[in-house]
Amino acid sequence: MRIGLDMMGGDFAPAEAVKGVKVYLDNVASDVHLVLIGDEQQLAPLLTAAQLDQSKYSVVHSSQVIGMDEHPTKALKEKPHSSISIGFHLLKEGKVDAFISAGNTGAMMVGTYYSIKAIEGVQRPTISTLVPRENGSYGLLLDVGINADCKPENLAQFALLGSLYSKHILKVNNPKVGLLNIGEEEGKGNLLAQATYPLLKENKQINFVGNIEGRDIFSEKSDVIVCEGFTGNVVLKMAESFHEIAVKRNIHDEYINKLDFESYGGTPVLGVSKPVIIGHGISKGMAFKNMIQLAQQIIDSKLLEKIKESFVAKEVQ
C-alpha cells in the first residue's frame, strides 16, 4: 500500500507534516509505504533530524507550491510541478493508492474532479466531519461545504455515502440516518427538506429515523446527519468556535476538546473512485498522522468498492 502525502500543504508545512510522518511510522504497525511529495531541499534536513526508517518512505521532488489564497483552477494549470499537481498525477497513474493534502482546499477539489472520476451513479461527491457525542462515540455530518446548493437527490446520495462510511470506518452497525431540519415532524422545513424526506424514507439501503433538530446534532439520535453544504458548514464552524472560546477562557473540558476538528486530521472526499483526503489548513503533526491512518483504514476496509457495489445495487432497484 502506497500513500501519497503533500508535504508542502498547510500553514505549518513541511515541519509539521514531517512530525506527523514520524508519529505514524513510529507508532502504527503497517505495510504502508509513504510517498512524500515536496521540495527535497527543505525536506532533507527535517527527515534526517526525524531519524525515520528510510525503507518506509520515498521522496518525490516538487519545485512549486500552490498557496492557500491562489485561484484553484489557475494554480493547477500554471503550476504542474506543485506538490498537489504531482500528487494527483501519481494517484491517477496508480503510483499511489491514496493522496492527502492540507493545502489549498479549492485546488484539492478541482484536482479531484479533473484527475479521478466520481463513482458511477454518484451525482456529487461530498465531504463530511466527525461529530463528537457525550458518550465518547462519533456521529457524521455531511455535506459540510462543497455543495452549498443541493437537490433532494443529492441529499439522498449523501445519506447512503455517510451510512457506508459510518458502518465501515466508524464501525457503527446499521447507522441511523437523520435529516437536519427545523422540526421533527414529517412535512417540516423548506422545500429542499420536504422533498428529501420521502426519498430517504423510501430508501431501503439506509436506516432513516426521520428529521432531527439542531439540538440533536451532538446526541445519539442519529449516527449520520444529512444536510446541504451551506447549513453543514455553518454548524461545523460554530462547533469549532466553541473550542476556540474555551481555549481563550482557559476552560479545560474533555468533551469540548473534541470539538477541535483539526485534531481529527482530514476528511475524505466521498463518492470518488480513489481515496482523497483533505486536511485542515492549520493541521499539525497529530492531524497529519491521523490523515495517514484514515487513508490506510479506507483502503483496508475496501470502502470505495463497497460504495461502488451499493450504487450499482441502487441502479438495479
Side-chain angles (χ1 to χ4, degrees), residues 52-94:
L52 305 176
D53 181 346
Q54 294 185 14
S55 69
K56 292 288 187 179
Y57 75 91
S58 55
V59 176
V60 174
H61 177 64
S62 65
S63 58
Q64 298 172 311
V65 177
I66 295 177
M68 292 298 224
D69 58 348
E70 291 190 64
H71 187 279
T73 306
K74 183 179 179 182
L76 284 169
K77 183 177 180 181
E78 296 180 354
K79 293 185 173 181
H81 302 295
S82 67
S83 49
I84 289 179
S85 296
I86 291 173
F88 277 114
H89 172 74
L90 295 174
L91 185 63
K92 182 180 180 180
E93 297 298 316

Side-chain angles (χ1 to χ4, degrees), residues 3-294:
I3 296 176
L5 179 62
D6 173 13
M7 302 298 287
M8 311 307 292
D11 295 344
F12 304 109
E16 291 296 329
V18 172
K19 289 180 182 178
V21 168
K22 179 172 177 58
V23 174
Y24 176 82
L25 293 180
D26 287 351
N27 295 282
V28 181
S30 71
D31 61 351
V32 172
H33 182 88
L34 298 178
V35 179
L36 311 181
I37 308 161
D39 186 319
E40 288 181 319
Q41 190 171 356
Q42 292 186 55
L43 289 178
L46 295 171
L47 294 172
T48 299
Q51 298 182 319
L52 305 176
D53 181 346
Q54 294 185 14
S55 69
K56 292 288 187 179
Y57 75 91
S58 55
V59 176
V60 174
H61 177 64
S62 65
S63 58
Q64 298 172 311
V65 177
I66 295 177
M68 292 298 224
D69 58 348
E70 291 190 64
H71 187 279
T73 306
K74 183 179 179 182
L76 284 169
K77 183 177 180 181
E78 296 180 354
K79 293 185 173 181
H81 302 295
S82 67
S83 49
I84 289 179
S85 296
I86 291 173
F88 277 114
H89 172 74
L90 295 174
L91 185 63
K92 182 180 180 180
E93 297 298 316
K95 295 180 180 178
V96 296
D97 301 302
F99 177 50
I100 300 165
S101 176
N104 186 305
T105 300
M108 284 296 291
M109 290 309 306
V110 172
T112 299
Y113 289 142
Y114 284 93
S115 298
I116 58 176
K117 296 179 180 179
I119 290 172
E120 188 173 355
V122 175
Q123 297 172 354
R124 290 191 189 179
T126 180
I127 57 174
S128 62
T129 190
L130 294 176
V131 177
R133 301 188 291 196
E134 207 166 359
N135 69 349
S137 65
Y138 290 94
L140 192 72
L141 174 70
L142 70 169
D143 184 278
V144 291
I146 66 171
N147 295 292
D149 294 298
C150 292
K151 297 178 181 179
E153 294 78 11
N154 303 142
L155 297 192
Q157 290 197 345
F158 299 165
L160 178 54
L161 290 167
S163 293
L164 292 166
Y165 185 87
S166 180
K167 180 178 180 180
H168 297 291
I169 301 300
L170 301 181
K171 305 302 182 183
V172 178
N173 184 39
N174 196 26
K176 296 173 290 186
V177 176
L179 176 63
L180 189 58
N181 209 328
I182 59 172
E184 294 182 349
E185 302 84 4
E186 185 173 352
K188 283 279 189 175
N190 57 17
L191 294 176
L192 175 61
Q194 291 176 29
T196 302
Y197 192 103
L199 296 182
L200 300 181
K201 187 176 181 180
E202 295 164 7
N203 191 338
K204 304 301 182 184
Q205 291 182 293
I206 63 172
N207 177 19
F208 181 52
V209 295
N211 291 325
I212 68 162
E213 299 178 279
R215 61 186 174 187
D216 302 315
I217 291 174
F218 300 104
S219 75
E220 299 168 56
K221 189 169 182 178
S222 66
D223 302 299
V224 178
I225 305 161
V226 179
C227 61
E228 90 293 341
F230 185 93
T231 299
N233 192 264
V234 170
V235 172
L236 170 63
K237 297 298 174 58
M238 183 178 68
E240 287 179 338
S241 74
F242 293 157
H243 176 261
E244 292 170 2
I245 291 170
V247 171
K248 289 177 183 177
R249 296 175 66 88
N250 199 30
I251 296 171
H252 301 285
D253 181 87
E254 184 180 356
Y255 177 77
I256 295 295
N257 289 341
K258 291 180 180 179
L259 295 175
D260 179 10
F261 290 96
E262 184 273 329
S263 65
Y264 302 147
T267 179
V269 183
L270 296 175
V272 293
S273 58
K274 295 186 178 184
V276 174
I277 295 175
I278 299 176
H280 203 302
I282 59 171
S283 292
K284 293 189 177 180
M286 190 57 64
F288 281 102
K289 174 259 184 185
N290 289 338
M291 284 190 277
I292 299 168
Q293 197 162 358
L294 176 57

